[in-house]
Amino acid sequence: DAMVIQNPRYQVTQFGKPVTLSCSQTLNHNVMYWYQQKSSQAPKLLFHYYDKDFNNEADTPDNFQSRRPNTSFCFLDIRSPGLGDAAMYLCATSRDRSGGRPQHFGDGTRLSIL
Amino acid sequence: DQQVKQNSPSLSVQEGRISILNCDYTNSMFDYFLWYKKYPAEGPTFLISISSIKDKNEDGRFTVFLNKSAKHLSLHIVPSQPGDSAVYFCAALENNAGNMLTFGGGTRLMVKP
């Protein structure tokens, strides 16, 4: 049974048109992460929520925002997508932020920009 | 500056033989190292991890070795199976840095029948 679910699996949007990607989890984990992965590159952390506490990575563009309305759901909002934002977006969760606990990933949303 | 590097983008191995995937890192503050496996169109799946206080961790066909002095770790898969064909990511984290993973670029393993 899928424990970290990302919708949609594929998303196409127009240049400059806002888009929202969603992630839900059934693990009741405290931490939720968003990664961006471009072709043949390592996943790059954008930000994470520890419970309701939002933590942005220093080099994440302002164009990227996130919301976590409750424990189960987390959203990635791209306000004005550019061609360079086409990528796979991965959501992950972990029980806590210490102890080397592995992160559990969803299957990702592949975003295309027209 | 890439803190975690996987210098081999691909590796081809015969079924039944050993697969050895390598990973190097530069940050001596990393406390844990993890390996993830990724099939096409799926998210990464956690495979095995090792704490920096250990030099070996084994789980079935998978063994991870850590050489702290060389800042090097490796994943051994014995025996390799065609179903092991996937991209393998090495990742590392600092315990005091919020469990944030730093990933290597991945190695594509192909196990030939």
Side-chain angles (χ1 to χ4, degrees), chain A residues 28-97:
Chain A
N28 205 33
H29 281 174
N30 290 317
V31 196
M32 294 187 79
Y33 308 82
W34 279 103
Y35 290 84
Q36 179 192 65
Q37 185 182 19
K38 296 190 176 179
S39 185
S40 302
Q41 295 183 20
K44 179 179 177 299
L45 181 66
L46 296 172
F47 27 59
H48 77 278
Y49 271 95
Y50 179 64
D51 197 11
K52 295 180 182 179
D53 182 28
F54 177 70
N55 298 268
N56 202 22
E57 291 300 295
D59 55 356
T60 298
D62 292 340
N63 202 22
F64 290 83
Q65 305 285 323
S66 186
R67 296 169 283 136
R68 189 179 185 187
N70 54 51
T71 301
S72 301
F73 284 88
C74 195
F75 300 99
L76 169 62
D77 301 307
I78 309 177
R79 291 191 300 189
S80 182
L83 296 178
D85 297 328
M88 173 73 81
Y89 290 88
L90 294 164
C91 173
T93 73
S94 69
R95 184 178 301 281
D96 211 333
R97 289 197 304 188

Side-chain angles (χ1 to χ4, degrees), chain A residues 9-10 33 35 37 40-43 45 48 57 90 94 96-108, chain B residues 2 32 34 36 38 41-46 49 89 93-106:
Chain A
R9 293 295 310 277
Y10 300 91
Y33 308 82
Y35 290 84
Q37 185 182 19
S40 302
Q41 295 183 20
L45 181 66
H48 77 278
E57 291 300 295
L90 294 164
S94 69
D96 211 333
R97 289 197 304 188
S98 61
R101 296 185 183 279
Q103 294 179 16
H104 300 265
F105 285 82
D107 286 337
Chain B
Q2 255 189 303
Y32 292 92
L34 302 89
Y36 282 82
K38 186 181 184 304
E42 293 183 13
T45 303
F46 171 71
S49 65
F89 288 98
L93 65 88
E94 287 180 60
N95 209 21
N96 293 329
N99 212 45
M100 252 59 71
L101 289 172
T102 301
F103 281 92

